[in-house]
Amino acid sequence: MTARGLEARQELLRVDTITAAPEIAAQLGLDEDAEVIVRRLMFTVEGEPVQRTDGYYPSSMFAATPVSEALRVRGGVAAYIEDQMGRRISQFVERLSMRMPVPEEIAMLKLGPGVPVVHVQRLARDTEGVPVEFLDSVVVGDRYIFEYVIDVDASEDGAVPTELRPRNTI
């Protein structure tokens, strides 16, 4: 955003340890009564909210780490997972759906009448297929552009692997 002359910020609103809701437990491959650490962030551009994200992390993996503390994680949680924990993230599965916001989202994101939101859910897995992060975001529909770049290269055996690299722009 700074390249466009806009001030982009993220604010850590809270960090809690909770019992995982059934959907969160399922996404992270946990038992329904498992505890997770949830980190809530608000992203703003020019002081206007554009995205609220809840990041969920298995407590069994992240208790007593910087992820469990109410402080920003230097370089971000994904960098911590890879650089400090030594777990390479090898896959993201992202699901997007557009809908009308609920009253809490209207207030939190300062939405005008008739403005939809995009619900973005993203699961990150390490090289062994273990889920390490589940992000549940609500993005303001009229303040955000999703752009995906998909590189397709045939390997020597003829298989066509694809890599989806999302680039979100305002």
Side-chain angles (χ1 to χ4, degrees):
M1 290 305 113
T2 53
R4 299 172 105 184
L6 302 174
E7 180 187 12
R9 293 183 162 229
Q10 64 174 287
E11 178 185 356
L12 180 62
L13 300 178
R14 71 173 199 256
V15 177
D16 296 305
T17 299
I18 62 170
T19 299
E23 178 189 2
I24 304 303
Q27 289 290 333
L28 290 170
L30 303 172
D31 293 334
E32 284 193 28
D33 60 346
E35 288 193 336
V36 293
I37 297 163
V38 60
R39 297 175 60 85
R40 177 167 278 189
L41 296 162
M42 178 66 74
F43 296 83
T44 61
V45 174
E46 294 294 307
E48 291 296 316
V50 295
Q51 177 177 332
R52 190 231 53 222
T53 297
D54 291 336
Y56 295 92
Y57 307 89
S59 288
S60 59
M61 200 180 296
F62 291 94
T65 71
V67 174
S68 67
E69 298 173 9
L71 301 169
R72 290 190 56 193
V73 176
R74 184 178 187 90
V77 175
Y80 179 83
I81 291 168
E82 291 199 337
D83 300 340
Q84 302 301 314
M85 296 178 75
R87 299 178 86 110
R88 187 177 162 292
I89 295 174
S90 63
Q91 182 184 61
F92 291 103
V93 178
E94 193 165 271
R95 182 180 354 173
L96 289 81
S97 61
M98 186 169 289
R99 61 176 171 75
M100 295 309 292
V102 298
E104 175 193 352
E105 294 165 343
I106 291 170
M108 182 177 281
L109 296 170
K110 300 179 184 175
L111 299 174
V115 176
V117 294
V118 180
H119 185 203
V120 181
Q121 295 180 310
R122 186 177 79 182
L123 178 65
R125 290 188 182 104
D126 68 10
T127 54
E128 294 180 18
V130 176
V132 293
E133 175 184 63
F134 180 67
L135 299 180
D136 189 12
S137 302
V138 178
V139 180
V140 178
D142 68 346
R143 297 182 210 153
Y144 217 88
I145 296 171
F146 291 88
E147 178 181 283
Y148 291 89
V149 176
I150 302 172
D151 295 328
V152 180
D153 295 316
S155 66
E156 290 180 21
D157 65 2
V160 182
T162 61
E163 178 182 337
L164 181 61
R165 292 179 295 150
R167 189 176 83 203
N168 303 326
T169 22
I170 302 289

